[in-house]
Amino acid sequence: MGIIVPIIFLVTGFLYSWISGDPDKRLGNPDMLAWTSMISGILLTLIGLAALGMSSEDEQGNKKRAKHDFFFIPIVAWGGLLIVWCIYLFFFSGKSSAEPSPTGLVDKPAAPAIEVPHTRMVNFYNPTKDSLKYLVNDETGGGLIASGTVGPNSFASVEIEEATYMFIARNMQDKSSFFLPSEEDAEDESKYKLYEDDKGKFFQRILNPATPENDDYDEAWFVLDGKTELLLVDVNSAADSTVTRGDVRKTKWSDKVAHQYKATDIIEPVFGTRPKDGVISVIAPGKMLPFQKEKDEQVYLLVPYHGEKDKTKVITAAVEAACFK
């Protein structure tokens, strides 16, 4: 009869799971184990006690008490062990104390909420030999949001709230050198929004916030001369402490251009896209490449491009400066 020990335990567990409607079907579910142990323990104890009174006859006709055990442990002992185990699960393991919710499901600790960003880092890049000014306006009522001066071949970073804005670049004589939105691009409703007031109609550029994930690149770029394009170049092979100038110079970098961005709009390099595994690092113009990459890190370099015919020559000079300056 000892074989009934696992049979009763498994059947009791199945019936409890079916009748209770517990959504947690795991074998190690502490609530299911506790109730299954209690019910099957009581049944096995009663069966084991009844079995103690049973006897059988040997070949000589002598009566002897029958032995009913499982793995050399009597059935009644299995019942007692299961009852002790259910008491431990109910009162001492601390895993059955969760109160059921109104839906009948066991309340579980809520996962930590992901903080959703409401700002975007915008870099104002000046690729010229003269200082330039930038202004960020909100003509819907906010007025001037941000302004500053950027020196030659450098950039300034400003964190800006998600909204719609006008982006303006001026020279040191306060003459506008570039203005967004441009009329030719303003019809793109995914990037521009049309407003109307008593002064007339006007467009503003939509600035989306950064994405919640931290393994992609969220920064935007505004090129102040409105002419210089930016090349997004895959420089993983150069982001290594063992790379030499010869390695850089013999690479055909024009084949490594991931994207070529025009300067007539806000530039959003690889915004919202990530590799399947790993992180993205985008190195700004004039900055040094990392000597060592993290595991599965993809490194890109932003290279100013003025329309020169030989892209490889332009990128080679930029990569060499970013490695050996």
Side-chain angles (χ1 to χ4, degrees):
M1 288 178 60
I3 193 63
I4 68 171
V5 172
I7 292 175
I8 288 179
F9 185 84
L10 293 174
V11 171
T12 303
F14 172 77
L15 290 175
Y16 170 80
S17 177
W18 176 50
I19 295 172
S20 68
D22 192 336
D24 192 345
K25 306 298 183 184
R26 296 174 301 162
L27 181 62
N29 175 7
D31 287 324
M32 184 180 74
L33 284 178
W35 284 102
T36 301
S37 300
M38 184 184 74
I39 297 170
S40 59
I42 293 173
L43 291 174
L44 290 172
T45 299
L46 294 175
I47 295 172
L49 290 173
L52 291 177
M54 296 180 182
S55 62
S56 61
E57 294 184 355
D58 59 15
E59 295 178 354
Q60 288 76 31
N62 299 319
K63 290 186 176 182
K64 62 178 183 179
R65 181 173 294 175
K67 294 178 63 178
H68 303 286
D69 54 36
F70 182 66
F71 283 114
F72 308 105
I73 301 175
I75 293 176
V76 67
W78 275 108
L81 290 173
L82 288 172
I83 291 174
V84 172
W85 191 25
C86 86
I87 292 174
Y88 168 76
L89 291 174
F90 273 128
F91 300 104
F92 299 103
S93 70
K95 296 181 180 179
S96 300
S97 59
E99 294 293 333
S101 67
T103 61
L105 305 180
V106 176
D107 290 333
K108 297 181 180 180
I114 299 176
E115 184 176 352
V116 179
H118 296 285
T119 61
R120 183 86 177 273
M121 186 66 71
V122 180
N123 299 295
F124 297 91
Y125 176 54
N126 178 12
T128 71
K129 297 179 180 180
D130 301 311
S131 294
L132 293 176
K133 299 178 181 179
Y134 67 86
L135 296 92
V136 181
N137 285 342
D138 179 8
E139 296 298 329
T140 64
L144 182 63
I145 302 299
S147 63
T149 301
V150 184
N153 296 308
S154 59
F155 64 92
S157 301
V158 182
E159 189 169 2
I160 302 176
E161 292 281 340
E162 60 174 318
T164 60
Y165 302 100
M166 292 178 178
F167 293 86
I168 304 167
R170 290 178 177 170
N171 59 24
M172 298 308 292
Q173 288 73 44
D174 281 334
K175 292 183 179 180
S176 295
S177 58
F178 186 46
F179 178 86
L180 280 182
S182 60
E183 293 183 2
E184 58 187 41
D185 297 326
E187 294 182 359
D188 186 347
E189 294 182 357
S190 66
K191 294 182 178 181
Y192 296 93
K193 185 174 181 179
L194 176 64
Y195 293 93
E196 186 173 4
D197 58 16
D198 55 351
K199 298 178 182 179
K201 297 181 180 180
F202 61 96
F203 287 92
Q204 291 198 165
R205 178 60 157 86
I206 298 171
L207 183 69
N208 294 308
T211 56
E213 298 81 9
N214 58 9
D215 55 354
D216 63 347
Y217 184 75
D218 286 328
E219 297 183 18
W221 288 79
F222 179 67
V223 183
L224 294 175
D225 69 346
K227 300 176 182 179
T228 303
E229 299 181 350
L230 290 180
L231 305 176
L232 184 69
V233 184
D234 182 345
V235 291
N236 280 289
S237 60
D240 191 318
S241 58
T242 62
V243 73
T244 65
R245 291 181 183 270
D247 295 331
V248 173
R249 291 172 180 175
K250 70 181 181 182
T251 301
K252 189 177 180 182
W253 291 107
S254 58
D255 293 340
K256 302 286 186 179
V257 177
H259 202 87
Q260 181 171 341
Y261 296 97
K262 294 182 178 180
T264 54
D265 193 8
I266 291 179
I267 296 172
E268 302 172 324
V270 294
F271 173 65
T273 60
R274 301 185 295 281
K276 184 176 181 181
D277 298 302
V279 298
I280 287 178
S281 296
V282 177
I283 310 302
K287 296 296 182 181
M288 301 294 291
L289 297 185
F291 290 120
Q292 290 184 338
K293 304 190 299 290
E294 296 181 6
K295 184 180 179 181
D296 298 323
E297 180 182 8
Q298 293 191 12
V299 182
Y300 295 89
L301 176 66
L302 285 174
V303 178
Y305 181 67
H306 303 87
E308 298 92 338
K309 293 182 179 180
D310 193 343
K311 284 186 181 178
T312 292
K313 184 177 180 181
V314 173
I315 300 172
T316 299
V319 175
E320 195 170 351
C323 289
F324 307 106
K325 183 181 290 185

